[in-house]
Amino acid sequence: RGMEEDHHIHSYDEALRQAGDPARPPAWESFEARATCACCDADFAWSFVLRSDPQLMMARHHCRSCGKVVCDGCSSRRVAHPELGFRDPVRTCDACFFGSGTMRHAP
């Protein structure tokens, strides 16, 4: 029985080592902090006639890769980011998708 217990502990330890450091997704920029898209600089309300609060909220999204607030048009792509804890494809802005590298590290 001792060897069996030892094996289970070893397997558990090995699984933890393979998992590595916990994923650290970026902090999300607040909607209030940004009036324009972080990618294309378009005003979030530019295409809405009524410009109601619900419509404004539908126009902006968070990129899961960099955490910036971006418009729907600049965040239509879906990519998995396992290094950030997103194993399934998630909303990703064009700047991160095309690999400019400036969005993820921007303050």
Side-chain angles (χ1 to χ4, degrees):
R1 181 178 165 138
M3 192 159 74
E4 182 180 314
E5 286 178 22
D6 213 12
H7 175 72
H8 290 295
I9 290 172
H10 174 72
S11 296
Y12 181 72
D13 182 56
E14 183 62 27
L16 288 175
R17 289 178 198 278
Q18 289 178 9
D21 291 333
R24 292 183 179 91
W28 281 9
E29 181 176 52
S30 73
F31 284 143
E32 293 78 25
R34 182 167 293 280
T36 61
C37 173
C39 286
C40 70
D41 207 33
D43 184 345
F44 287 116
W46 69 270
S47 65
F48 298 107
V49 176
L50 297 177
R51 297 185 182 204
S52 68
D53 287 340
Q55 287 172 322
L56 279 172
M57 294 306 291
M58 290 185 341
R60 39 190 171 178
H61 306 281
H62 284 101
C63 171
R64 302 314 191 263
S65 179
C66 66
K68 296 291 183 182
V69 177
V70 293
C71 70
D72 192 61
C74 290
S75 62
S76 62
R77 299 179 191 331
R78 303 292 188 270
V79 179
H81 299 284
E83 73 281 4
L84 299 174
F86 302 114
R87 299 196 188 286
D88 295 324
V90 292
R91 185 178 296 275
T92 302
C93 72
D94 288 349
C96 291
F97 180 81
F98 291 112
S100 70
T102 58
M103 295 301 289
R104 181 173 289 174
H105 302 292

